[in-house]
Amino acid sequence: MTISHPTDTLLLDYAAGGLAEAMSVLVASHLALCPACRRAVDGLDAIGGALLADLPREQVAEGALDRMLARLDEMPAPIPPLPSFDGETLRVLPAPLRSYIGRNLAEVEWRRLVPGIEQYKLPVADGGELGATAELLRFRPGAKVPRHTHVGEEAILVLQGGFTDETGHYVRGDVAQGDETVTHRPVGDPGEPCICFAVLDEPVRLTGPLGWAQKLFRG
Amino acid sequence: MRAVGERRDRDAFATLFRHFAPRLQAFMRRLGSADDQAEELVQETMLMVWRRAESFDPARAGVRTWIYQIARNKRIDSFRRRGRPEVDVNDPAFVPDPEPSAVDRLEAEQSAEQLRVALQALPREQADLLHMAYFEHRSQSEIGVALGLPLGTVKSRTRLALERLRRHLQQANEHS
């Protein structure tokens, strides 16, 4: 049962179209798992619909309707086929994230960060000057992430298993959000490995004594 | 809309186009698209409306909301290589609604008109924030930077706006 939802601000940014790509993939993936947030976003989209309906009408070019009607029989551009995903991938990764990653979980090239924690960095299309990062993280049960805080905003969506930190306990579907006011030290739950999708606007800042781990989320 | 979806009725589609194209043109122009670019985006949007008309679910969203969603995605796609990711109800990982909220859904179209009235009644400073978000795709923090306001101020003004809209809709429903 999902209990930790994205903030209203994040949902509004998503509905209005103001999120960079990686963060919008994270929100869309949460929506696939959370009927309550889908309803909230439907309501925010309705505001968009009402604003659109109320815009002063602008002159469309002459012949626009004819050009439009002439295009109705156009064949849609072929959609590039996605790989056929295996059962584990279909179960763990919601569709928006699955198409973003474009491969099976078993084919992900995990890179060890610290003992018990692995990372797979995803290319970010429009991280912009903020230097956003997007990555999958996998924690072995009991694995501890060094204590850290963030310069910008971080959002983590849990996909499998769970983790606990100072702010709470998070399981599949939950979104944990943090910023520079939050210092935390996540620990993987016992049981199956915890897999998360994490998006950061800016690099993490280590607050513990482990300066060597500065590279933790940056690679 | 139903005639377009069920019967592939071109006359009905032309009516829909005449109604929405001038508004979509304005929507696309708000982001600084030149006239011909704006027309192309309007056509791309309406082409998607034609192709997807069968899957339009009036219980889930009103026509204008549905067209807004398509237009927003087209606009975002126009400056990205990859399409905006969409939630897919056929996804094996998709978690369906525990119970279909039939009452909510019946009200979707009816409340669209009330929402429009409520938006017109918003104080200027709150309406401006929503316009910057929905028409210019600025995030709340980007709006703060653009207006020289602390993020907290932007968030609380937006929250006030949304609460006002909700109250307005509740009152409208009680009176109907």
Side-chain angles (χ1 to χ4, degrees):
Chain A
M1 187 69 199
T2 298
I3 46 166
S4 296
H5 306 283
T7 58
D8 289 348
T9 300
L10 194 54
L11 293 179
L12 174 66
D13 286 347
Y14 175 81
L19 289 182
E21 184 172 75
M23 197 63 96
S24 77
V25 171
L26 184 139
V27 174
S29 300
H30 172 77
L31 294 180
L33 304 176
C34 181
C37 285
R38 282 204 298 276
R39 275 198 297 279
V41 169
D42 281 347
L44 293 168
D45 283 351
I47 294 176
L51 289 171
L52 171 67
D54 226 18
L55 273 173
R57 304 160 53 112
E58 275 192 25
Q59 183 75 40
V60 293
E62 205 170 321
L65 177 59
D66 292 336
R67 285 194 291 281
M68 181 80 252
L69 293 174
R71 288 185 67 181
L72 294 186
D73 296 319
E74 250 176 41
M75 291 298 287
I79 301 161
L82 282 171
S84 56
F85 294 104
D86 62 25
E88 181 202 20
T89 307
L90 291 172
R91 182 177 57 79
V92 176
L93 302 182
L97 185 55
R98 210 158 60 222
S99 61
Y100 193 58
I101 292 175
R103 63 176 73 189
N104 283 310
L105 273 173
E107 294 154 2
V108 163
E109 293 141 6
W110 296 101
R111 196 174 69 88
R112 199 183 84 144
L113 280 173
V114 292
I117 300 169
E118 295 161 299
Q119 171 201 51
Y120 172 64
K121 284 178 75 101
L122 292 158
V124 177
D126 56 358
E129 72 279 14
L130 285 176
T133 61
E135 61 210 357
L136 287 178
L137 292 169
R138 184 163 70 176
F139 302 65
R140 262 211 318 263
K144 294 187 173 84
V145 177
R147 184 177 300 280
H148 64 277
T149 186
H150 306 277
V151 180
E153 297 221 11
E154 173 195 53
I156 297 179
L157 170 68
V158 181
L159 300 163
Q160 175 182 292
F163 73 85
T164 302
D165 70 8
E166 290 83 340
T167 65
H169 178 226
Y170 301 94
V171 297
R172 178 170 169 82
D174 283 340
V175 172
Q177 278 178 261
D179 59 22
E180 64 274 8
T181 63
V182 178
T183 299
H184 68 152
R185 182 171 202 202
V187 179
D189 281 359
E192 58 186 349
C194 174
I195 297 178
C196 299
F197 178 51
V199 177
L200 292 97
D201 273 349
E202 294 232 15
V204 292
R205 185 160 47 192
L206 274 282
T207 52
L210 300 173
W212 55 268
Q214 182 67 48
K215 286 184 292 195
L216 184 60
F217 289 100
R218 297 292 286 177
Chain B
M1 190 64 224
R2 188 171 295 164
V4 177
E6 289 170 7
R7 299 199 303 273
R8 314 303 293 157
D9 183 333
R10 283 168 191 255
D11 291 337
F13 177 78
T15 306
L16 209 56
F17 184 89
R18 279 189 210 98
H19 181 79
F20 278 102
R23 295 174 168 89
L24 286 168
Q25 180 85 10
F27 180 68
M28 297 305 178
R29 296 258 297 152
R30 286 285 167 119
L31 211 60
S33 300
D35 281 347
D36 53 340
Q37 268 177 316
E39 184 185 331
E40 177 60 21
L41 285 170
V42 172
Q43 293 224 351
E44 289 286 326
T45 300
M46 291 306 294
L47 193 55
M48 198 60 88
V49 168
W50 172 253
R51 285 180 185 156
R52 291 194 178 177
E54 264 172 307
S55 70
F56 170 69
D57 176 3
R60 185 150 176 250
V63 176
R64 57 184 75 166
T65 299
W66 187 63
I67 292 182
Y68 161 73
Q69 291 165 336
I70 294 174
R72 171 199 60 202
N73 293 357
K74 278 287 164 209
R75 205 151 92 158
I76 292 173
D77 291 352
S78 74
F79 52 81
R80 271 193 199 145
R81 239 171 346 106
R82 250 186 300 217
R84 179 176 158 102
E86 290 179 63
V87 176
D88 173 6
V89 294
N90 300 312
D91 174 9
F94 182 82
V95 177
D97 279 87
E99 58 201 70
S101 44
V103 180
D104 286 1
R105 294 171 172 217
L106 277 176
E107 286 166 359
E109 190 63 47
Q110 174 197 349
S111 64
E113 192 48 37
Q114 290 156 359
L115 189 53
R116 202 174 65 85
V117 174
L119 277 164
Q120 283 170 344
L122 281 184
R124 185 62 195 250
E125 60 169 27
Q126 292 174 16
D128 283 349
L129 292 184
L130 293 180
H131 291 172
M132 289 179 83
Y134 283 90
F135 294 146
E136 297 166 24
H137 300 314
R138 291 185 203 246
S139 68
Q140 297 288 287
S141 50
E142 287 166 343
I143 290 172
V145 172
L147 297 180
L149 291 172
L151 177 56
T153 307
V154 176
K155 284 186 184 176
S156 58
R157 262 187 215 170
T158 306
R159 178 176 296 276
L160 282 176
L162 297 180
E163 275 167 10
R164 240 182 136 108
L165 294 177
R166 206 185 52 226
R167 265 202 315 275
H168 189 110
L169 289 181
Q170 267 168 358
Q171 283 168 359
N173 284 335
E174 281 160 18
H175 290 299
S176 62

